[in-house]
Amino acid sequence: MIRRPPRSTPLYSSAASDVYKRQVSTQSTWDYIMGKEIGKKAPIRLWVKAKFMGFRRGKHEQHERQSLLKLEGVNDSRAATYYFGKRVVYIYRAKSLKKNTKYRTIWGKIIRAHGNNGTVRAIFRKNLPAQAMGATLRVMLYPQHN
């Protein structure tokens, strides 16, 4: 990757431009980044990022049972239909060990769209905590529905 000088540096500054001109991207570096070393394959991510925006709510009350998620790369309700029925997981870190790990999960499922901008509703086995608002969740690309 070729680094660019910071914007505060004048464009044709001799000190800054010499450093950045000497950077060369080699094919071996690119292969390393993409995981193309001998005997290795590039990792495949089987989930999509989603942000927890909050709970479904009205003017006077909110329904903690249903959470609103904004999926990455989904901008309309028609595109959101692909994700209906897909599993969602919130992964967080706790202080104490349980089952030899500090990481815990709360699983849920996408049930329907919410509005026209690609936001979806999800229900979880246990309601998500309020401190999870703004956190990244994983939407698993399985089960696959045809």
Side-chain angles (χ1 to χ4, degrees), residues 2 6 19 23-25 28 38-39 42 45-46 56 59 65 78 82-83 88 99-100 105 114 125 138-139:
I2 297 176
V19 172
Q23 295 176 357
V24 178
S25 177
S28 61
I38 298 171
R45 192 177 78 181
L46 292 176
R56 187 171 74 93
K59 186 176 179 182
R65 178 87 175 122
R78 189 172 175 199
Y82 172 78
Y83 295 94
V88 186
K99 298 182 182 177
N100 289 332
T105 59
H114 181 81
R125 290 187 183 152
R138 296 181 182 187
V139 178

Side-chain angles (χ1 to χ4, degrees), residues 22-89:
R22 281 183 265 141
Q23 295 176 357
V24 178
S25 177
T26 62
Q27 187 63 30
S28 61
T29 305
W30 179 252
D31 289 344
Y32 175 76
I33 293 170
M34 296 304 292
K36 294 182 181 178
E37 292 180 5
I38 298 171
K40 288 191 177 181
K41 293 184 179 179
I44 298 172
R45 192 177 78 181
L46 292 176
W47 50 273
V48 173
K49 290 182 181 179
K51 289 286 184 187
F52 174 40
M53 299 190 336
F55 301 108
R56 187 171 74 93
R57 57 172 296 149
K59 186 176 179 182
H60 300 293
E61 62 184 8
Q62 72 179 8
H63 307 279
E64 293 89 3
R65 178 87 175 122
Q66 294 187 8
S67 304
L68 301 180
L69 309 178
K70 179 64 178 155
L71 302 173
E72 188 178 73
V74 179
N75 297 321
D76 59 354
S77 58
R78 189 172 175 199
T81 59
Y82 172 78
Y83 295 94
F84 294 173
K86 298 283 193 266
R87 295 282 174 198
V88 186
V89 62

